[in-house]
């Protein structure tokens, strides 16, 4: 089975048995929580491996299951479980200065998960994931700009994340291709 066919099958997740779907959602939420433990504070928004995990989940499980995994992860955070970056949790953490990034992750997992099966080859998949990162960063910037002036939100809250976004996009695309074989 080709990688594209495997991703097509995964994105048609509703055809998968319910236990598989439930396991994918739980595994995705746990992967996002674990990826938040790798965190570097460089400004108002920490650099984590969460977007790497997000896009691997999207590429392997599709938009619907990916979105359900993100919503389960955010619900766990809202109820106080320490699943966000640096072990943060609680309603305040979900609605604080990183809320835009969290909302952007929900949007991006859907977009990338729905489009990944159509990506022919590693390069188009890499550009797709990079576009997903652009969604996360754009929505994140808008949310951060609600807490500070837009220009510093961009220069302090977004620009430092750009090199990592490129690297994580390439790594996620490579991981999706390797795991889809």
């Amino acid at each position: 089975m080709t990688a594209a066919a495997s991703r097509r099958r995964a994105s048609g997740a509703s055809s998968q048995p319910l236990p598989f779907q439930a396991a994918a959602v739980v595994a995705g939420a746990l992967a996002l929580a674990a990826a938040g433990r790798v965190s570097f504070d460089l400004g108002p928004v920490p650099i984590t491996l969460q977007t790497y995990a997000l896009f691997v989940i999207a590429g392997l499980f599709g938009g619907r299951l990916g979105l359900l995994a993100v919503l389960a992860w955010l619900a766990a955070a809202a109820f106080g479980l320490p699943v966000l970056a640096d072990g943060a949790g609680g309603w305040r953490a979900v609605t604080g200065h990183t809320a835009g990034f969290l909302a952007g992750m929900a949007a991006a997992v859907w977009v990338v998960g729905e489009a990944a099966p159509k990506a022919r080859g590693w390069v188009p998949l890499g550009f797709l994931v990079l576009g997903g990162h652009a969604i996360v960063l754009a929505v994140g910037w808008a949310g951060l700009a609600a807490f500070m002036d837009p220009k510093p939100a961009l220069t302090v809250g977004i620009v430092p994340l750009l090199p990592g976004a490129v690297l994580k996009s390439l790594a996620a695309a490579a991981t999706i291709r390797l795991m889809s074989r």
Side-chain angles (χ1 to χ4, degrees):
M1 178 183 311
T2 67
S6 177
R7 285 194 312 276
R8 243 189 318 278
R9 184 172 172 221
S11 72
S14 60
S15 65
Q16 295 289 344
L18 189 57
F20 171 85
Q21 293 180 49
V25 170
V26 170
L30 290 173
L32 288 165
R37 295 300 181 163
V38 179
S39 178
F40 305 97
D41 289 329
L42 292 180
V45 179
I47 294 174
T48 70
L49 290 181
Q50 287 171 322
T51 52
Y52 165 77
L54 178 82
F55 295 120
V56 171
I57 291 163
L60 296 179
F61 297 139
R64 185 175 138 305
L65 292 179
L67 180 58
L68 289 173
V70 169
L71 294 176
W73 169 63
L74 291 175
F79 282 109
L81 294 177
V83 296
L84 299 177
D86 294 328
W91 186 248
R92 193 170 188 187
V94 174
T95 61
H97 64 280
T98 60
F101 293 92
L102 299 175
M105 290 173 76
V109 76
W110 173 262
V111 170
V112 171
E114 290 298 304
K118 299 169 191 95
R120 304 272 184 225
W122 185 84
V123 173
L125 186 59
F127 279 113
L128 175 63
V129 175
L130 195 57
H133 261 109
I135 293 169
V136 172
L137 294 174
V139 178
W141 171 77
L144 195 55
F147 291 89
M148 60 175 41
D149 288 333
K151 187 173 181 179
L154 180 66
T155 58
V156 176
I158 301 300
V159 172
L161 303 178
L162 294 177
V166 171
L167 292 174
K168 290 184 283 184
S169 293
L170 296 174
T175 302
I176 293 165
R177 291 280 298 165
L178 288 172
M179 293 181 76
S180 295
R181 291 182 178 211

